Amino acid sequence: MQLRIPGPTPLPDEVLEAMNRQMINHRGAEFRAIMQDVTERLQHCFQTEGDVLVFPGSGTGGLEAAIANIFSPGDTVISMPVGAFGERFAEIAERFYLDVWRVPSPWGQAANLEQLESALCSMPWTKAVLIAHNETSTGVQSDIEAAVRIAHKYGALVVVDAISSMGAVDIPVDRWGVDVAITASQKAWQAAPGLTMLSVSEAAWRAHAKAKLPRFYWDFTEAKRYLQRWETPYTPAVSLLYGLQTSLHLIMEEGLPNVFARHERIRDQVRAGARQIGFKPFAPDQIASRTVTALYAPEGQSARDIVTAMRERGVIVAGGQGKYEHTALRIGHMGFVSAEDVDVVLEELEAVVGVN
Amino acid sequence: MQLRIPGPTPLPDEVLEAMNRQMINHRGAEFRAIMQDVTERLQHCFQTEGDVLVFPGSGTGGLEAAIANIFSPGDTVISMPVGAFGERFAEIAERFYLDVWRVPSPWGQAANLEQLESALCSMPWTKAVLIAHNETSTGVQSDIEAAVRIAHKYGALVVVDAISSMGAVDIPVDRWGVDVAITASQKAWQAAPGLTMLSVSEAAWRAHAKAKLPRFYWDFTEAKRYLQRWETPYTPAVSLLYGLQTSLHLIMEEGLPNVFARHERIRDQVRAGARQIGFKPFAPDQIASRTVTALYAPEGQSARDIVTAMRERGVIVAGGQGKYEHTALRIGHMGFVSAEDVDVVLEELEAVVGVN
């Protein structure tokens, strides 16, 4: 079976095997060694010398953690939704009583940085910009480096949803100056779902010190305090950390630049192949995601029927989201994925639309 | 190796094996069948026909979820701490801006229900009582049935930390009228850590509808809405659910009454055996926990040294908490534990204190 949704992704055998280990004491030396190894390898992959914190929870939990740790009720943030998940991020901020100013882009387009600049210019009290690096619903990648440059000019932090791109795409957190970057284990990390990982910049720590939103579970200060001795404030998801540790070893053995290049090659392979058999990508080439491709079904064909037919042939792809439920489908190509895997997906896709 | 801390507990081979399965689509039929099976079996074990919700997170996350979903800032709650974890529950409530009135008991004693009644009498505006059924730091079990009876008389809800007892001890949620009961996968459920499970009564749902504390990740309404079609609002911890599902099958094959009786027998075995070799339990017999026993080390011996010596002999027990760090140790006996396991622990304990 080929599981090619935008996460969870298939797990390498080594990761599955790593999870097949007995429980250990989460206050003992064996656990502390794992926690240190995982943390240091995450810092390497995030390209940061700052803190990376790991919480038991999904990526959505990571987004909530960022909001609860950095802000106080009534703080103004600018959100840059370009699809369903950017909208979710804005909604979390609203639920936490932030004053959310949306600078949206139509589905299929990237974050509009000119409008970001004019919004910041007219609202200089803005605390932060919330932006997705890789919008999973449309397969669009936004320009985080430029967004940070603009936001920092106006004294705003940048909180980046990198859930479905970090680990697969070059996001040099320190060099770009990203304040908080959030990711999750079941995406490019080719690990099982249930862990979210966040980087925290010095400026984000300063904002955190003043942030009044309620938090206990997600509290960055507590997480960092326990991490001084490579522990966690409460029971960690031990099995998932076994798996993530092994994943991080696999990723670093392959080498980050090679992992990034593989994802770029595969993205191009998916788009070229899909176009050849009558599909049209949502995203223009220059902003195309390296980890997920959203495609319009060929004229006159139902995307839902295609997804169903693919499933019967053993290839699981995702449907379109929101209003694109009937017209689009999405292929995940992150983490544990090879050119041969993509060949299979494209062959089956061709067979299905040929006979559909 | 014998891992006998109060969670994580050892995993049965079947549970480890279940987790050794590939990822699946969390929006597909195979996942929905798992989610339905897990939910229905949890309802059976919680002895409720009401809702049981599962979140990716630790037990502490479950406590936070209960607070964030039931209350508004400034609400008055009475907390009944009898040890470190009851204190943590009160602290979470304070972090969420509740007005927390503590009715504490000394370590080693159960919740003081007479004082609960007088507190409720003098503060009839109290929204809820926060109480631990099983205090993991002291091995004490409080009388939840009576606490509910008293609290409901004054119109207060009862939110029960049953993290380390639900599944091992008879807690008939519906019959007693518990409003929210919280547990976690790595305790009596003999599954891997990273899932928290909560029951929600009708009265708790009514309170939830008016509760203004910010929440998105833990939101009960969203969780219930997705559960209508046996899905979750965001990516669930698939591997951990594989494991929990298998655990629940094992528990129900053994039969709940048998599981409860086994835990009671083992509790008695631990206490009798420990006393014979010079240890003194914290908790009097009539309030002794069925899942964890805290013991004072024999006169003149260091509990820390005993824990270290035990570890060298392959038996992992936990140290004392707080001010009992040097004088006490704790033995976990929940979930996947047999009389033979306890024999090993007691034999090694005897060997260690004999030669210490």
Side-chain angles (χ1 to χ4, degrees), chain B residues 133-134 141 161-171 183 187-188 291:
Chain B
H133 176 247
N134 191 73
Q141 182 177 301
D161 169 354
I163 291 175
S164 60
S165 55
M166 185 70 80
V169 183
D170 188 25
I171 309 173
T183 185
K187 304 290 188 182
T291 56

Side-chain angles (χ1 to χ4, degrees), chain B residues 29-75:
Chain B
E30 189 179 350
F31 177 77
R32 285 193 291 265
I34 294 170
M35 200 64 201
Q36 177 173 2
D37 190 39
V38 164
T39 302
E40 289 173 353
R41 286 172 187 272
L42 284 171
Q43 285 173 308
H44 174 83
C45 295
F46 276 65
Q47 304 179 57
T48 182
E49 294 185 358
D51 297 295
V52 178
L53 307 173
V54 182
F55 294 93
S58 79
T60 300
L63 300 180
E64 174 160 318
I67 299 291
N69 274 281
I70 304 295
F71 302 108
S72 299
D75 278 354

